[in-house]
Amino acid sequence: MATTTTTVGRNGEGEQKRREKGGFKTMPFILGNDICDRFATAGFGANLITYLTKQLHLPLVEASNLLTNFGGTSSLTTILGALAADSFAGRFWTIIAGSVFYQLGMLGLVLTVLYLSLLCTAFGAGGLRPCVVMFGTDQFDHVLGEQQQKQVTAEAAKAVAERKRRYFNLYFFMMGVAALLALTVVVYIQDNVGWGWGFGIPAIAMFVSIVVFVIGYPLYVMLKPGGSPFTRLAQVAAAAFKKRNVVVPEDTGMLYQDKDLDVLISTNGRLLHTNQLTFLDRAAIVTPGDISASGQPDLWRLSTVHRVEELKSIVRMLPIWSAGIMLATIESHNGTFIIIQAQTMDRHITRHFEIPPATMSIFGTAAFLVSLALYDRAFVPLARRVTGLQSGITYFQRMGIGLAIHILGVATAALVETKRRDAAVDHGLLDNPAAVIPLSVFWLVPQFAVHGIAGAFSSVGHMEFLYDQAPESMRSTAAALFWLASSFGNYLGTVLVTVVQRTTRARGNDWLQDNINRGRIDNYYWLVTCLMVLNLGYYLICFRFYTMKPLEMADEQDDRDGECELSTLQKNDTGAGGVV
């Protein structure tokens, strides 16, 4: 399986301007924006289950489903944000628009306009999530151009890939720090001061994030949108279908190529032809009527090899991408059922101070942060000695390890819930859900910690995979796929909860009820554990048959006319491959 990286020549004048922008000097503004943004969103959502059940008096399952549906919708709107960013608006202006919508949503919640607020924040998330992390990676792409204006060495490309890997770790680390702050300060204010201030402070933080981001405007590298990626994908599919009866030539060199047509969507190099999904190759077969007298192709009848391979890349990614859906299903209930469990347990740290239930999430966040720090400082150097890879392990391995650890996290949750429920039975509290069970809330810490460690592997590995394997012009779309998995996972969580409740209630043993002492949340966790085991097996099978995207790279020995020989860089050179 061959991998990705490097580029061919770029416009020299445009490159000269970009040299003065981008790089690490933009990070204080981008990460400063992200910190304020994450602080705001974590403070906004961390304690919503308490607000819905205690303030608005919604039943547990209804409140849980409302939040998972909201999470699903927020992630689903990322497709709209990605479409706008990659098609016409660019990532910078899409981030600004998303921030404004999110700001309006937070202000709406301060004024207790619940559903309008959730709608605005969902659209705001659609603009932010697919663009922010990818906008940060845009700031490093210009480094390749600084190496050589006509050619880029494999070593230069590897150096940039390493910077981006470190950027992903730094990005998720800073997001964790912001979430940690929100889960302590904001949640405490919501529980002990009032919901007005509890929602008002995140709204202020969101406003600050917009200001910080705008200040860095002169320093940013802002790549031009390459046109709607969804339109190009549709054009390839339509052209292939129209030519479904045409025979694909054995010589793939006869397939249509047009460097000028693809220039805006292949600045880092064109995709090479692959032998998978050959039905789509028909879109690149030239037939009478495909090209006008002026030499312009009818894109609904004829596509270049690069555009055909864009669609192939997306299709090949989908099976591994879909393995992340179950992760979102797990996480969707970390903010609902576990908080309700914590409300029934002894939360005293000192005689007069109780930890807020939603603040228990800090242990997962703290474990996530520590794991990210140790990953670069300790794990990668050790793994590098064994594998010889610059990244220590591949993002495939990283994601697989995370999936396995998540299984342990859910199993731990099931065991702890069994202990909590047994304590309620032993103390005669089975029918008194409002009573405090004499069991320390810190029994919940292990499951949070295990999920935090798992997230440092699975979430970052998932994002790295999507970024690296997505076509260059679809990077926002790749980030949208990350959040789309979250969307489907949240919706799956709603379906799973609804099906489990109706099925068990019909049998007279309701697992998920408002009185969780009578319920059997532990059985629900065991069910999810089994589903996660199946999901890991599915992921391993998908990896076994996955083919990396091949990208043209410069042959340093040939600089004639700025053209480049086409070759591929093997997987082990970039640390993108290997076996799980």
Side-chain angles (χ1 to χ4, degrees):
M1 291 192 281
T3 196
T4 73
T5 17
T6 51
T7 96
V8 285
R10 292 176 176 155
N11 181 278
E13 182 179 351
E15 204 59 57
Q16 180 64 32
K17 295 179 180 178
R18 289 177 64 188
R19 290 178 185 180
E20 302 172 359
K21 299 184 177 184
F24 281 104
K25 59 179 172 290
T26 62
M27 291 300 103
F29 303 100
I30 295 176
L31 292 180
N33 163 266
D34 287 345
I35 290 171
C36 295
D37 170 34
R38 181 58 178 166
F39 175 82
T41 54
F44 172 78
N47 212 17
L48 269 180
I49 188 66
T50 303
Y51 180 73
L52 295 177
T53 55
K54 300 295 186 182
Q55 295 294 116
L56 302 186
H57 307 292
L58 294 182
L60 172 60
V61 170
E62 182 179 343
S64 173
N65 286 347
L66 175 61
L67 290 184
T68 51
N69 286 336
F70 165 64
T73 303
S74 297
S75 299
L76 188 61
T77 56
T78 57
I79 292 296
L80 300 177
L83 179 62
D86 284 341
S87 301
F88 59 89
R91 287 191 257 276
F92 176 84
W93 291 110
T94 305
I95 291 170
I96 293 295
S99 298
V100 171
F101 268 103
Y102 216 110
Q103 178 78 79
L104 293 175
M106 289 185 167
L107 292 175
L109 200 56
V110 173
L111 300 174
T112 323
V113 186
L114 178 63
Y115 291 101
L116 179 61
S117 171
L118 294 180
L119 181 63
C120 286
T121 53
F123 277 106
L128 290 169
R129 290 178 177 177
C131 297
V132 173
V133 64
M134 296 308 174
F135 187 71
T137 63
D138 288 346
Q139 309 311 309
F140 297 100
D141 280 335
H142 78 296
V143 177
L144 290 175
E146 291 180 11
Q147 303 296 326
Q148 285 186 344
Q149 288 190 12
K150 290 186 178 181
Q151 293 182 344
V152 179
T153 66
E155 289 73 18
K158 289 182 191 177
V160 173
E162 176 65 12
R163 290 190 185 100
K164 289 181 180 179
R165 185 187 67 80
R166 289 180 177 274
Y167 165 73
F168 279 122
N169 278 350
L170 178 62
Y171 171 84
F172 279 98
F173 183 85
M174 297 307 294
M175 297 309 96
V177 170
L180 194 67
L181 186 61
L183 290 169
T184 50
V185 176
V186 176
V187 169
Y188 180 83
I189 291 173
Q190 289 170 345
D191 281 356
N192 296 278
V193 178
W195 292 97
W197 277 107
F199 289 134
I201 291 175
I204 294 171
M206 178 56 72
F207 176 76
V208 173
S209 76
I210 299 173
V211 173
V212 170
F213 187 66
V214 171
I215 289 175
Y217 177 83
L219 298 177
Y220 298 143
V221 169
M222 288 187 279
L223 304 181
K224 293 181 180 179
S228 171
F230 298 104
T231 300
R232 291 199 303 276
L233 298 181
Q235 288 171 337
V236 172
F241 181 76
K242 290 176 182 177
K243 299 175 182 178
R244 59 190 178 278
N245 295 322
V246 177
V247 178
V248 178
E250 293 184 5
D251 181 7
T252 58
M254 297 176 64
L255 298 177
Y256 184 64
Q257 301 268 14
D258 190 330
K259 293 183 179 180
D260 292 335
L261 182 63
D262 293 336
V263 66
L264 285 179
I265 58 174
S266 59
T267 57
N268 285 344
R270 292 178 301 157
L271 294 171
L272 301 177
H273 177 266
T274 59
N275 292 322
Q276 291 80 34
L277 303 169
T278 54
F279 169 81
L280 296 174
D281 289 342
R282 290 175 169 82
I285 299 174
V286 180
T287 59
D290 288 349
I291 301 177
S292 67
S294 63
Q296 295 299 314
D298 178 352
L299 295 179
W300 290 98
R301 291 177 53 89
L302 181 65
S303 296
T304 63
V305 169
H306 176 83
R307 294 174 183 232
V308 170
E309 291 300 323
E310 282 187 325
L311 179 54
K312 287 185 182 182
S313 294
I314 294 295
V315 173
R316 283 195 298 262
M317 289 166 58
L318 291 180
I320 288 182
W321 160 81
S322 64
I325 293 175
M326 275 303 299
L327 297 181
T329 301
I330 296 171
E331 293 169 358
S332 70
H333 297 132
N334 282 348
T336 53
F337 293 149
I338 297 181
I339 292 177
I340 298 300
Q341 291 170 258
Q343 290 174 356
T344 69
M345 302 172 76
D346 180 9
R347 296 180 282 111
H348 282 91
I349 295 179
T350 67
R351 184 176 179 182
H352 301 291
F353 180 77
E354 290 184 320
I355 183 172
T359 300
M360 291 300 297
S361 299
I362 65 173
F363 296 103
T365 305
F368 179 77
L369 293 174
V370 171
S371 299
L372 281 180
L374 292 178
Y375 185 88
D376 262 342
R377 299 283 183 175
F379 180 82
V380 170
L382 290 175
R384 190 179 292 151
R385 295 179 183 178
V386 177
T387 65
L389 300 177
Q390 181 65 24
S391 59
I393 59 175
T394 71
Y395 45 65
F396 290 111
Q397 293 168 323
R398 187 171 187 173
M399 188 175 173
I401 291 170
L403 289 172
I405 298 175
H406 272 300
I407 295 173
L408 298 178
V410 185
T412 302
L415 294 172
V416 172
E417 171 56 15
T418 300
K419 182 175 182 61
R420 189 203 66 81
R421 189 174 182 276
D422 289 345
V425 173
D426 293 342
H427 291 85
L429 301 175
L430 203 59
D431 294 310
N432 188 2
V436 175
I437 298 171
L439 181 70
S440 174
V441 74
F442 294 104
W443 275 96
L444 297 174
V445 170
Q447 66 199 64
F448 278 111
V450 173
H451 281 307
I453 295 169
F457 285 87
S458 61
S459 295
V460 182
H462 198 196
M463 180 66 84
E464 284 184 311
F465 162 72
L466 293 172
Y467 175 84
D468 187 63
Q469 290 301 293
E472 172 196 337
S473 62
M474 298 184 185
R475 292 282 164 73
S476 293
T477 304
L481 283 175
F482 179 86
W483 291 107
L484 191 62
S486 176
S487 173
F488 290 166
N490 276 279
Y491 288 137
L492 178 60
T494 298
V495 171
L496 192 58
V497 166
T498 302
V499 170
V500 167
Q501 185 193 39
R502 290 179 179 177
T503 302
T504 56
R505 179 178 291 175
R507 297 178 178 178
N509 182 25
D510 192 351
W511 289 3
L512 306 174
Q513 53 182 284
D514 290 343
N515 180 1
I516 64 171
N517 295 341
R518 279 283 181 187
R520 295 306 303 263
I521 295 179
D522 53 341
N523 288 348
Y524 176 80
Y525 286 149
W526 284 121
L527 173 63
V528 175
T529 301
C530 293
L531 293 176
M532 284 297 297
V533 171
L534 294 176
N535 189 58
L536 177 59
Y538 166 76
Y539 171 79
L540 294 175
I541 293 172
C542 292
F543 168 76
R544 173 66 181 81
F545 294 100
Y546 184 75
T547 300
M548 303 286 285
K549 74 173 186 184
L551 189 70
E552 69 182 355
M553 86 178 256
D555 183 346
E556 296 177 65
Q557 303 302 317
D558 187 2
D559 189 27
R560 291 171 296 181
D561 300 323
E563 298 295 333
C564 300
E565 297 291 332
L566 299 182
S567 61
T568 55
L569 190 62
Q570 293 302 311
K571 241 175 148 175
N572 288 344
D573 287 337
T574 60
V579 294
V580 176

